[in-house]
Amino acid sequence: AQDLNVIEEVIRMMLEIINSCLCNSLHHNPNLVYSLLYKRELFEQFRSHPSFQDIMQNLDTVIGFFSQRLEQAGSDLSVERVQEVIMKGAQALPQDRLKAGLQECVV
């Protein structure tokens, strides 16, 4: 049980770091957004876990926002086109859509 608690705390810390990057410098982290989109299924298991639900709100917001933009851009997109959509989307995503976490998104 103690090992499980340690693993849970490490996962939460990693999610908080990702959240901080999204809150504070989304436009500087297009590769992070690309990775979140590419591996979005990995985060499914955290949505229903009570320890991670609060921190998953921003990840869901970002994944949903950029997924919608990519759908609008069409299918069969090149990596370069996906990155372009992400860069433009990072500038267009209103900061107030991201909820504060990790001490109000301050590191």
Side-chain angles (χ1 to χ4, degrees):
Q2 187 177 9
D3 289 343
L4 187 58
N5 287 337
V6 170
I7 291 170
E8 192 174 288
E9 284 300 313
V10 169
I11 292 170
R12 180 159 181 90
M13 181 177 60
M14 294 302 299
L15 291 172
E16 287 177 345
I17 290 168
I18 293 169
N19 185 50
S20 179
C21 291
L22 296 175
C23 284
N24 294 310
S25 57
L26 178 64
H27 60 284
H28 291 298
N29 290 295
N31 290 330
L32 174 61
V33 174
Y34 184 92
S35 296
L36 290 174
L37 292 168
Y38 187 71
K39 295 292 188 177
R40 70 185 99 184
E41 70 278 352
L42 294 176
F43 297 97
E44 290 291 328
Q45 58 193 325
F46 302 128
R47 282 189 185 92
S48 60
H49 195 287
S51 297
F52 308 128
Q53 286 178 338
D54 60 334
I55 200 95
M56 286 301 299
Q57 289 177 355
N58 282 346
L59 291 171
D60 287 338
T61 298
V62 169
I63 289 170
F65 177 82
F66 286 98
S67 293
Q68 183 179 18
R69 284 193 161 271
L70 289 171
E71 285 176 19
Q72 291 172 351
S75 59
D76 199 30
L77 301 173
S78 67
V79 172
E80 293 79 16
R81 178 68 179 126
V82 170
Q83 289 177 330
E84 179 184 323
V85 170
I86 290 171
M87 291 295 289
K88 288 181 180 175
Q91 295 169 351
L93 179 65
Q95 277 302 112
D96 62 348
R97 290 209 31 209
L98 298 178
K99 298 190 181 355
L102 189 65
Q103 290 81 36
E104 302 299 315
C105 283
V106 175
V107 177

